[in-house]
């Protein structure tokens, strides 16, 4: 029914960058538009939420990756305004001043963090390929796979080939 830039940001951190944020503290209320906050925009609500230092630690990482995807409605269609006719602002600013604008901005951010992205992708593909979680002793070989793929400037096909040729994949 509605989108959540927080859920989207967490999904990107967990599934594309392998950087899951810690769970929210029990004493932190949910972000919601109620009472005095009814007129505030989503961006204002998130900014207000980040005023709490225990929230800001995580939301400074989460929000800049989730807010830019607000240009997509709950089923993925492009939108420029919410149902209440408020304008969608799909731009977020990181603490260091870097702006992430829309889906292209998220893509650019992922490419700026290409090694971390490739490592996460390689880890998930490898776990799928072998049918189990990777162990600590697989870290070195996984790093070598990522290094070879990134240093060659290669894409998805090369990553899959590296995984298929790896000792992890070929042995039990």
């Amino acid at each position: 029914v509605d989108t959540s830039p927080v859920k989207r940001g967490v999904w990107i951190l967990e599934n594309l960058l392998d950087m899951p944020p810690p769970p929210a503290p029990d004493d932190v209320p949910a972000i919601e538009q109620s009472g005095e906050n009814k007129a505030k925009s989503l961006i204002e609500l998130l900014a207000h939420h980040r005023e709490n230092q225990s929230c800001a630690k995580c939301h400074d990482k989460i929000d800049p990756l989730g807010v830019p995807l607000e240009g997509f409605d709950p089923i993925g269609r492009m939108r420029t305004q919410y149902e209440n006719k408020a304008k969608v602002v799909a731009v977020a600013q990181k603490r260091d001043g870097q702006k992430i604008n829309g889906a292209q901005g998220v893509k650019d951010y992922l490419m700026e963090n290409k090694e971390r992205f490739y490592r996460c992708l390689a880890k998930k593909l490898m776990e799928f390929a072998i049918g189990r979680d990777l162990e600590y002793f697989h870290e070195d070989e996984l790093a070598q796979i990522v290094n070879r793929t990134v240093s060659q400037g290669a894409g998805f096909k090369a990553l899959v080939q590296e995984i298929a040729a790896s000792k992890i994949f070929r042995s039990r």
Side-chain angles (χ1 to χ4, degrees):
V1 175
D2 208 358
T3 58
S4 170
V6 174
K7 288 180 182 175
R8 286 176 170 175
V10 168
W11 190 90
I12 290 170
L13 287 170
E14 289 176 346
N15 295 292
L16 299 180
L17 295 171
D18 198 23
M19 296 172 47
D26 293 333
D27 61 341
V28 175
I31 301 169
E32 53 188 53
Q33 289 183 313
S34 61
E36 68 204 40
N37 289 336
K38 199 80 169 156
K40 289 187 177 180
S41 72
L42 177 64
I43 304 302
E44 291 172 319
L45 285 171
L46 289 171
H48 177 69
H49 188 72
R50 281 192 309 271
E51 288 173 6
N52 181 335
Q53 287 299 1
S54 64
C55 299
K57 261 192 313 190
C58 295
H59 280 275
D60 284 346
K61 297 174 189 158
I62 296 169
D63 297 349
L65 295 172
V67 170
L69 299 177
E70 279 298 289
F72 297 100
D73 74 3
I75 60 170
R77 295 177 299 200
M78 293 295 295
R79 63 178 175 188
T80 56
Q81 63 184 21
Y82 294 103
E83 285 186 22
N84 67 2
K85 305 297 184 208
K87 184 180 178 196
V88 170
V89 178
V91 179
Q93 188 167 344
K94 292 181 64 193
R95 181 81 59 188
D96 65 7
Q98 177 188 10
K99 286 192 178 184
I100 299 177
N101 189 351
Q104 182 63 47
V106 174
K107 178 183 174 186
D108 293 344
Y109 180 82
L110 291 173
M111 289 301 96
E112 289 167 15
N113 294 280
K114 189 183 290 191
E115 260 188 66
R116 182 170 282 284
F117 172 72
Y118 268 84
R119 187 193 176 290
C120 183
L121 181 60
K123 178 182 173 193
K124 291 190 177 288
L125 285 172
M126 183 67 80
E127 287 175 343
F128 178 78
I130 65 174
R132 64 184 186 279
D133 289 340
L134 292 178
E135 301 291 339
Y136 70 91
F137 50 84
H138 293 129
E139 289 298 320
D140 286 342
E141 188 170 0
L142 186 66
Q144 291 171 11
I145 290 168
V146 172
N147 288 339
R148 283 192 301 267
T149 305
V150 171
S151 68
Q152 296 169 10
F156 186 75
K157 180 180 177 183
L159 180 61
V160 171
Q161 289 171 335
E162 286 286 343
I163 288 170
S166 72
K167 183 179 176 186
I168 300 169
F169 182 74
R170 292 182 293 116
S171 62
R172 183 108 169 108

